[in-house]
């Protein structure tokens, strides 16, 4: 993600209001800003930590909550053993602690129900987080925009927001969930036990009533490159594909 500052987004103090474990390596932190702000589904924030010696570490995290969720924002943070930020959150941070945050940031990888659809969302691992904000925004607006989410994870227990996504899928209100497990057999008949590819994209698009108006892809560099190419090979025009890349 870009670390470029937004002109109207100064640093502010936020307080950890709640902590919720999502998977063995991903935990959600619900943050209460000292100066609440509006944002769009898909945007991100910068988080900054300052050590006693003055050293500062900063990282960008997508917002998982919907814009309609209120003043508290949710960040789903994956533990990276060699990271500078995530070990603090996973090993030290507690409810009531304060950190610095700046945002919202980003204007390219965003969606509102007024933008229309259908939407094809493709997420790899923690790359599902900004897509989850879009799904939650759709639900909060009671939107009828058709959405299909292709979510790639290594195993069933690493599917972030799994129960919530299955619940939304089971409503049969125009949202379809497709899971692609790369290191484990699929648990549901409609899911896959392989990496994303063009055939999977073609089959997932059949769940939509019309070709996607937008396709959003988020994950690691390698995942995004492979998924975007799979979409193009499946016939999605490149100009309809918006991508967000995490790390290397």
């Amino acid at each position: 993600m870009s670390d470029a500052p937004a002109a109207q987004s100064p640093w502010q103090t936020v307080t950890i209001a709640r902590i919720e474990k999502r998977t063995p390596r991903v935990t959600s932190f619900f943050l209460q800003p000292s100066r609440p702000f509006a944002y769009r589904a898909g945007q991100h924030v910068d988080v900054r930590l300052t050590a006693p010696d003055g050293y500062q570490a900063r990282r960008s995290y997508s917002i998982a909550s919907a814009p309609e969720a209120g003043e508290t924002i949710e960040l789903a943070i994956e533990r990276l053993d060699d990271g500078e930020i995530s070990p603090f959150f996973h090993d030290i941070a507690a409810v009531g602690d304060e950190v610095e945050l700046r945002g919202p940031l980003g204007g390219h990888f965003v969606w509102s129900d007024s933008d229309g659809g259908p939407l094809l969302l493709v997420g790899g691992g923690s790359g599902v987080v900004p897509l989850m904000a879009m799904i939650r925004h759709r639900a909060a607006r009671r939107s009828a925009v058709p959405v299909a989410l292709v979510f790639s994870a290594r195993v069933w227990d690493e599917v972030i927001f799994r129960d919530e996504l299955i619940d939304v899928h089971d409503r049969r209100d125009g949202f379809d969930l497709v899971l692609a497990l790369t290191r484990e057999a699929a648990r549901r008949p409609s899911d896959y036990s392989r990496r994303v590819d063009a055939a999977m994209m073609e089959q997932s698009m059949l769940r939509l009533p019309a070709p996607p108006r937008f396709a959003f892809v988020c994950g690691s560099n390698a995942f995004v490159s492979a998924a975007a190419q799979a979409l193009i090979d499946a016939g999605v025009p490149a100009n309809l594909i918006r991508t967000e890349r995490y790390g290397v």
Side-chain angles (χ1 to χ4, degrees), residues 30-202:
F30 296 81
L31 309 177
Q32 175 62 53
S34 54
R35 298 189 302 276
F37 54 87
Y39 57 91
R40 296 184 66 191
Q43 287 192 294
H44 62 277
V45 296
D46 283 348
V47 174
R48 184 171 69 183
L49 302 179
T50 303
D53 63 2
Y55 175 77
Q56 292 185 328
R58 185 180 70 187
R59 195 180 191 284
S60 296
Y61 290 102
S62 291
I63 301 172
S65 44
E68 296 80 9
E71 295 182 353
T72 302
I73 65 167
E74 177 186 353
L75 304 184
I77 298 179
E78 180 179 10
R79 181 187 180 90
L80 302 176
D81 293 332
D82 58 350
E84 293 185 308
I85 300 288
S86 67
F88 164 80
F89 277 98
H90 282 261
D91 298 338
I92 300 172
V95 171
D97 286 351
E98 295 180 343
V99 298
E100 288 183 291
L101 178 147
R102 177 178 64 187
L105 303 171
H108 171 71
F109 199 84
V110 296
W111 179 78
S112 299
D113 69 309
S114 59
D115 295 332
L119 288 187
L120 181 57
L121 310 178
V122 186
S126 59
V128 77
V129 173
L131 310 180
M132 193 67 195
M134 297 177 189
I135 293 164
R136 287 169 164 171
H137 166 65
R138 175 185 178 274
R141 300 290 295 176
R142 300 185 182 276
S143 170
V145 171
V147 177
L149 169 65
V150 180
F151 184 2
S152 177
R154 292 182 297 182
V155 297
W156 180 256
D157 287 342
E158 292 183 5
V159 177
I160 310 168
F161 309 116
R162 185 187 66 208
D163 293 345
E164 182 178 351
L165 286 168
I166 291 173
D167 284 347
V168 178
H169 172 89
D170 288 345
R171 294 175 194 164
R172 311 310 304 162
D173 69 349
F175 171 78
D176 273 279
L177 171 66
V178 179
L179 298 177
L181 304 181
T182 62
R183 299 187 184 179
E184 191 175 272
R187 301 282 187 95
R188 306 186 311 157
S190 59
D191 293 340
Y192 299 90
S193 299
R194 66 177 194 264
R195 297 181 184 277
V196 297
D197 54 31
M200 189 185 301
M201 296 299 104
E202 290 176 356

